[in-house]
Amino acid sequence: LFLSQSSGLLAEGRAALEAGDAKGYAAAVHRLKGGAGTICASRLVAAAESALDAVAAGTPPGELRAGAERAAAELAALEAAIRERLSG
């Protein structure tokens, strides 16, 4: 379930950022964080928490991209590890 939904949540967050919608971005990141927490993906949870902290601090949407990219990198690494584990 996580694998099937996580990329969509990331895309939703990125789309919100492109639209200048920090609240929509935070909602998508929050859901991604929840899913990551369910499977104990601590690095992705930390990236999501950092992104949410930036939103809470009032960081403008244009400056939130670095956090989104960090979360994307963590998600990509996690997805690769899960797929490798499932195939082995």
Side-chain angles (χ1 to χ4, degrees):
L1 184 62
F2 178 80
L3 288 177
S4 68
Q5 294 180 351
S6 57
S7 293
L9 289 172
L10 188 61
E12 184 181 319
R14 284 180 166 159
L17 278 182
E18 291 301 317
D21 179 10
K23 189 174 182 179
Y25 169 68
V29 170
H30 180 76
R31 291 196 315 274
L32 181 61
K33 177 186 159 202
T38 299
I39 62 168
C40 301
S42 58
R43 291 175 61 170
L44 181 54
V45 168
E49 286 176 346
S50 179
L52 290 171
D53 288 347
V55 172
T59 304
E63 295 176 25
L64 294 171
R65 285 187 183 86
E69 293 310 312
R70 178 177 170 218
E74 291 298 340
L75 178 59
L78 176 62
E79 287 177 338
I82 291 171
R83 283 185 179 20
E84 182 179 325
R85 180 76 173 189
L86 290 175
S87 70

